[in-house]
Every structure is written in structure tokens, then in C-alpha cells.
Amino acid sequence: MRKIKNIVFLITVLSIQFTFSQVKDENIGSEVVNIVKPYTPTISDAFKVKETPVMEDDDNTQKEIIKYNIFSFPVASTFTPAKGKAAGVDKTEREKLYRNYATLGFGNYPTVNAELFITENFGRNSYVGGMLRHLSSQGGIKDLVLDDKYYNTSLDVTYGSRERDLSWNVDLGVKNQIYNWYGLPTTNIFFDEATIKAIDPKQSYNTIGLGGKLNLEKSFFKEASLMFKRFSDGFGSGENRFYLKPNFNFDVMDQKVKANFIIDYVGGKFERNYTALEEIKYSHVIFGTKPSILYQQDDLSVQLGAGIFYSTGKINGISDSKLFVYPNIKASYRIVGDILVGYAGAEGGLNQNSYAEFVDQNPFVSPTLIVAPTDNKYDIYVGLKGKLANAVAFNVRGSFNNDDNKALFVSNQYVLGNVNTEGYTNGNSLNVVYDNVKTASFFGEIKADFSKRVALGINATYNNYTTETQAEAWNLPQLNVGTTLDFDINDKWYAGTNVFFVGERKDIVTVQDNLATNPGTFSQKEVSLDSYFDLNAHVGYKYNDRLTAFLRGNNLANQQYNRWSNFPVQGIQVLLGANYKFDF
């Protein structure tokens, strides 16, 4: 009904419009129109109709559910695809790893070198292992009047376990060493044949040690190590050493905190001192901690901390206790990623010395030493490391080190009519003296792996020493240079070489005065030990994955140099041997 009304209204309006138009057209006349100005049309403003349509059909919001049905039926095909072939890839055969090995070699002077390593797993996580080593030489250095043979035999056994978050091991080791004080100063002092025959230069060292280590992955208690060592010699000397080193790592306000602790004890005695029959006793205990906090942001890494140590000790009944504070600061900055990294630091610490460590550095010391710790007040350094190319890395560093009570080796003097008549009292052994020493040092190193078959390394260190009471930093060289080159000739043959240079050192030796004018008198003289270089090389042939033969040569330049005053080394040394790998 509504639609009909609208249609009638529309027809009526159109009829009226048509009627008026017809009437107006009948009275049209002529008129003159004067144009005053050009016509400039304008556009009226448009008004946008703001109206929101209303949907009256509620069914439009509902979605139709559409169901799809797939009808599958077979289609005949005569197409047969060609079989694909994978591209060939060169695979390197993995070298089989064996748990055990044995090495045996023989050389001139005559020399024997033997090693045996055995390990075995128990269950999924436990293991036991052992290493037996032996190195000996019957001596034969030219122009010596005393025996120069030596023996070095050791056995180490370990038992441990590796869990996902926990690993631990217990170690037991024994070692026997035999050396001779063969460095008799015959060029400075006259010894008759009877005196030489009466000298027994033999010294033996025995070590037994028991220790262990514990590592935790997901704990603030990161690791701990402990060790007890008993060290003795053939002259009644004995020393006990014990240390405990727990380390803690944890986070505080998103910063990593590290705290290392140490308890270090050493105590021992010598039956006599060098010039009398008086006993020497010593004991030292060090308690220390080095806490630090690690700050990292972008390319900057800074470790800030300090070392606090307390030492109490006694030498021949004289006690001394003291508190020490040291810097513990490290920083590094990646200037160009891993290509160029700058680093610097200032560190220090109280270092425990021991008779056993002195023997490891110099087996020709006399059993008449004063043993005391070294106060490393600070070691300030700055350096730069990085890569010159993908396979070439470098490291340069300059440092300034300040040590109070630094141990220096110096030759023992010869005293005529000495009450102590043991085999080391003829100027043929070395003593330990202490001094405050400052060291300015410069170090440089380059390592290059040109390929998987060739590796080269070169390093050099220059030291400038300043002493307080001693005339020189005895037996410390200013310059050390070393280079190594290892390469695989082919899959069967390999070779390598090692060359090192040691600069001049200073020492004090006893010289005999003029026999005609001052018979039986001696004096101390400062001497310079010549610099030397030592050339070593080796070549090997892999017969198969188990058996390898090798040939080693030491001091191939046949340099007759003295490592210590009046202690020349062996000349050209050649060792021929083989290594065999196996499993049980």
C-alpha cells in the first residue's frame, strides 16, 4: 500500500511540471542581453550526507556451514619418473679413538723414554685411569769428572665420575727422581783426584700426593680442589703441603659475582744449613680470597675486585704474621669484534713457595734452603690481541710487575774446610736468595694455522729487572724467543720443529786465588752465562691407526751451553721409538 502511494505522488508531480513548461514556452519573446563581465562559474560547497544505514535483516550475521566431500578414484598413468641420484660428498673418515696407549723410545747417552696410559669406564659415568712415565739417561757429557746420569719415574692413578650436573675425581700420584750435582767448578778451582773420588753427587727426591676435584654445574658452589703432598729427599729433608681451593659463582642484580678462596699450608725441615750442622725448620699458612664482580655491556667487559690475604709463618722459631690487600681488576673491549680486542688489568697475590716447586724448576739446588712466600704486590698490564687474517692470530702485551721477596737461584760458594762435607758443598749446587724485584716486560706472540696440515707459532719476551739488595736478578734472562712449526706431510708422515733462544744471565761463582801468592784462598766473582739457542725436531710415520713410529732430535745444533753455572747440557740427542694405541 505504501509503494502505491509513492507511485501516485510521483505521477502527480511530473504532470504539474509538464503543464507549466508548456505554458511558459508559448510566450517566448526576443530580448537583448548585455554581458558586463565574463562568466566565471563557481562550484557550490558540497554537503556530505552523514547517515548510517541500519541493517534490518538479522539473518545476515549468520554463516552458512559448508561441507566438502572429496570423491577419490584411480586415474591410470603411464608416466615413470627417473630415479634421482644424490650428489657425491667427500667424507673424511673419522679417526678411531683408542682408550689406551704405550710409548717406548731409545736414544744415545743412553736414554730410555717410556709411557703407558690406561683408562676404563665402569657403568655409564664412572672411570678409572693410570699413567706410568719413565725418562732416564746414563749421562756422558764431555769433560765432566762427576756422574751426570738421571732417572725420573712417576705413576698417577685417578678415579672419578661424570654426571649431568656433577663431576668429581680422586687422584693418587707417586714419583721418584734421581739427579747428580755434576757441576763441579773445575775451571775456577783445582780439585785433586782424591778429592773428586770422595765426592758423592747423588741426590734422590720422592713425592707422594693425594688430591681431588669437584665440579658442580647448576650451583653457586662452582668447584673445589684439594691436595696433600709429601716431598722428601735423600738427605733427610721433608716437606708437607696442603691446600684447599673452593670457588663460588652467583648473580646479584643481574651481575655475575665470583669469589675464590684458598687455604695453603707448607711446612718442612732440612737436616742442616750449608755451612753448619744447624737444622732449618719452616712453616707458612696462607688464608686468602679474591672476590670480584663482572660487568658486561655491549663490547665492554670489566671485572672489579680485590684480593685479601692473611699469612702467618715461622722460620727457625721466628714468627711473622701480616695482612695483604691486592688489586683484582681486568677489562677488555672489542674494538672490532673478535678481530681486535684491547685488554688491561691490575692483579696481585701472595704466592706460596715450596721445596718441591724449587726442585721442579732446578733439580740442582742444595737441601739447605730458606723457604718463604713471595708477595706479588701488583702486576699491571695492557695489551692488544686479535686476528691479522682468518688463520693468523696475534697478542702483544706490556706489563710492570712488583715482587717482594722474589726467589732467585744463585750458585753456592765453595768454602775450604767446610764442616758440611756432603756432595753438594763444592760449589756444585745452587741456593735460593730473596730480593724485592721490579720487572718491566714486553711480550709478543703470533700463531698461524695456514691449513689443517700446517701450524706455526712465534713468541718473544723481553724483561728489564730492577733489584733492591742483590746486584743482579740472578739467573733470569732478559730475552726469551721461541718458535714452533708442525705440519703433516701427507696422511702417513708428519714432522715438526721447535727452536728457542735464551739470552744472557748473571750469576756469582767461587774462584780460586793465585796459588803462588795466596794459596788456599777463594773469592766470589760475578759472571755472565752466554746466551744460547736450542734446535729440536721430530718426524713420525703412521703405519696404521694403531702404530706410529717416531724419531726425535734435541739440541741438533750441538750447542755446548750451560743452563746453570758449570752445568753443561748434553749435545745432540737422538731418540727412536714407537707409539701403539689399543683397547681391551
Side-chain angles (χ1 to χ4, degrees):
M1 189 66 184
R2 183 178 178 181
K3 292 182 180 180
I4 296 174
K5 289 180 180 182
N6 291 336
I7 293 173
V8 172
F9 177 77
L10 181 60
I11 294 173
T12 303
V13 173
L14 291 175
S15 300
I16 294 172
Q17 179 66 30
F18 179 76
T19 303
F20 278 104
S21 298
Q22 292 295 329
V23 173
K24 191 175 181 179
D25 290 341
E26 291 178 356
N27 296 322
I28 295 177
S30 61
E31 294 181 6
V32 178
V33 178
N34 295 321
I35 299 174
V36 179
K37 64 177 182 178
Y39 174 68
T40 55
T42 60
I43 300 176
S44 299
D45 293 335
F47 297 95
K48 182 178 181 182
V49 179
K50 297 181 179 179
E51 182 176 343
T52 302
V54 178
M55 298 292 294
E56 297 180 356
D57 194 352
D58 295 336
D59 293 338
N60 288 335
T61 60
Q62 298 179 1
K63 293 183 179 181
E64 293 289 340
I65 299 176
I66 302 176
K67 296 182 179 181
Y68 296 94
N69 293 321
I70 299 175
F71 300 96
S72 60
F73 56 90
V75 177
S77 176
T78 59
F79 173 73
T80 303
K83 293 183 179 180
K85 185 178 181 181
V89 178
D90 295 333
K91 295 178 66 177
T92 303
E93 184 179 356
R94 295 181 61 182
E95 184 177 356
K96 179 177 174 56
L97 299 178
Y98 295 92
R99 296 180 182 273
N100 317 297
Y101 74 85
T103 300
L104 183 62
F106 299 94
N108 57 336
Y109 282 102
T111 302
V112 178
N113 184 17
E115 290 185 8
L116 176 63
F117 176 77
I118 296 176
T119 182
E120 190 65 33
N121 291 335
F122 291 95
R124 297 180 57 185
N125 303 311
S126 300
Y127 63 91
V128 63
M131 168 72 83
L132 175 65
R133 295 187 178 96
H134 174 82
L135 177 63
S136 64
S137 173
Q138 300 305 309
I141 299 176
K142 186 178 179 181
D143 298 331
L144 290 186
V145 296
L146 296 179
D147 194 357
D148 62 326
K149 64 174 177 288
Y150 65 87
Y151 297 85
N152 194 331
T153 305
S154 64
L155 173 64
D156 298 287
V157 180
T158 183
Y159 177 79
S161 176
R162 301 187 190 96
E163 303 287 346
R164 182 176 181 180
D165 300 325
L166 170 67
S167 63
W168 59 270
N169 63 276
V170 178
D171 304 320
L172 174 65
V174 294
K175 181 166 61 174
N176 173 256
Q177 301 167 276
I178 297 177
Y179 290 93
N180 284 275
W181 290 293
Y182 63 84
L184 200 64
T186 54
T187 57
N188 299 323
I189 302 175
F190 173 75
F191 295 91
D192 57 34
E193 187 175 350
T195 302
I196 294 175
K197 287 183 178 181
I199 297 175
D200 181 8
K202 182 181 177 181
Q203 169 67 298
S204 63
Y205 303 107
N206 296 286
T207 307
I208 180 170
L210 178 64
K213 191 170 184 180
L214 173 68
N215 290 278
L216 298 172
E217 292 297 329
K218 298 180 180 179
S219 174
F220 71 94
F221 178 62
K222 194 66 177 176
E223 64 178 16
S225 60
L226 60 88
M227 187 271 297
F228 172 79
K229 179 190 291 185
R230 172 65 180 178
F231 183 77
S232 59
D233 65 16
F235 288 81
S237 309
E239 178 183 77
N240 297 321
R241 176 83 180 273
F242 171 81
Y243 67 71
L244 174 64
K245 299 179 180 179
N247 298 331
F248 298 86
N249 290 348
F250 51 90
D251 294 336
V252 176
M253 300 178 64
D254 297 330
Q255 301 297 328
K256 295 182 179 180
V257 178
K258 184 178 181 181
N260 298 339
F261 295 85
I262 183 173
I263 301 175
D264 194 340
Y265 165 81
V266 64
K269 70 178 182 65
F270 298 101
E271 291 290 335
R272 62 190 67 183
N273 62 23
Y274 188 74
T275 58
L277 302 179
E278 298 176 357
E279 188 180 58
I280 301 176
K281 288 186 177 181
Y282 60 93
S283 65
H284 303 281
V285 185
I286 295 175
F287 303 92
T289 180
K290 298 182 73 173
S292 63
I293 184 169
L294 179 62
Y295 172 79
Q296 291 178 314
Q297 183 176 6
D298 299 330
D299 295 324
L300 178 64
S301 177
V302 180
Q303 176 181 298
L304 298 175
I308 303 173
F309 289 78
Y310 176 77
S311 172
T312 178
K314 182 184 294 186
I315 299 177
N316 289 340
I318 301 176
S319 301
D320 183 32
S321 300
K322 193 174 181 181
L323 182 68
F324 302 85
V325 179
Y326 302 101
N328 184 23
I329 303 172
K330 300 178 185 179
S332 65
Y333 181 75
R334 296 183 178 181
I335 302 173
V336 185
D338 293 330
I339 298 177
L340 192 62
V341 179
Y343 63 93
E347 300 179 69
L350 190 61
N351 302 322
Q352 187 80 279
N353 292 316
S354 68
Y355 182 32
E357 291 182 351
F358 288 147
V359 169
D360 287 341
Q361 299 175 53
N362 183 353
F364 307 112
V365 293
S366 61
T368 59
L369 308 179
I370 299 296
V371 178
T374 296
D375 175 16
N376 179 212
K377 290 186 174 299
Y378 54 81
D379 181 11
I380 302 173
Y381 58 88
V382 60
L384 196 66
K385 62 182 178 180
K387 295 181 178 180
L388 299 176
N390 290 334
V392 181
F394 74 94
N395 184 16
V396 292
R397 181 180 69 243
S399 64
F400 185 77
N401 193 42
N402 186 359
D403 286 317
D404 275 6
N405 218 37
K406 183 179 179 64
L408 303 172
F409 294 109
V410 63
S411 292
N412 275 317
Q413 61 179 328
Y414 173 76
V415 181
L416 183 64
N418 191 352
V419 176
N420 187 351
T421 59
E422 299 291 352
Y424 55 83
T425 60
N426 299 282
N428 57 331
S429 63
L430 289 95
N431 189 21
V432 171
V433 296
Y434 296 88
D435 195 10
N436 299 335
V437 181
K438 295 181 175 65
T439 307
S441 178
F442 300 93
F443 170 81
E445 181 182 36
I446 293 179
K447 292 183 178 180
D449 294 325
F450 298 108
S451 66
K452 293 182 179 180
R453 294 181 177 272
V454 182
L456 173 67
I458 302 174
N459 65 82
T461 304
Y462 174 80
N463 299 304
N464 184 41
Y465 304 101
T466 302
T467 57
E468 186 173 301
T469 59
Q470 300 291 324
E472 296 285 346
W474 308 118
N475 282 292
L476 293 181
Q478 280 194 329
L479 182 62
N480 285 280
V481 180
T483 178
T484 59
L485 175 63
D486 293 294
F487 56 93
D488 293 334
I489 302 172
N490 53 38
D491 293 338
K492 293 289 187 180
W493 290 90
Y494 66 90
T497 183
N498 168 259
V499 180
F500 59 89
F501 173 85
V502 177
E504 290 186 354
R505 293 90 62 217
K506 299 289 187 178
D507 198 0
I508 296 179
V509 298
T510 303
V511 296
Q512 190 168 7
D513 296 333
N514 193 302
L515 292 176
T517 58
N518 297 299
T521 59
F522 303 88
S523 60
Q524 297 294 106
K525 178 183 178 182
E526 181 179 313
V527 296
S528 293
L529 303 181
D530 293 337
S531 60
Y532 63 89
F533 77 94
D534 201 319
L535 172 62
N536 308 306
H538 67 271
V539 61
Y541 175 75
K542 298 179 181 179
Y543 180 76
N544 53 37
D545 60 349
R546 290 178 179 267
L547 182 62
T548 301
F550 61 85
L551 178 65
R552 299 173 187 167
N554 295 328
N555 195 11
L556 295 179
N558 198 25
Q559 297 288 297
Q560 300 295 324
Y561 61 85
N562 288 341
R563 176 63 184 89
W564 310 99
S565 292
N566 302 310
F567 283 88
V569 300
Q570 296 177 345
I572 296 177
Q573 306 150 46
V574 179
L575 186 74
L576 177 64
N579 175 276
Y580 182 74
K581 305 174 185 177
F582 60 95
D583 286 333
F584 291 115

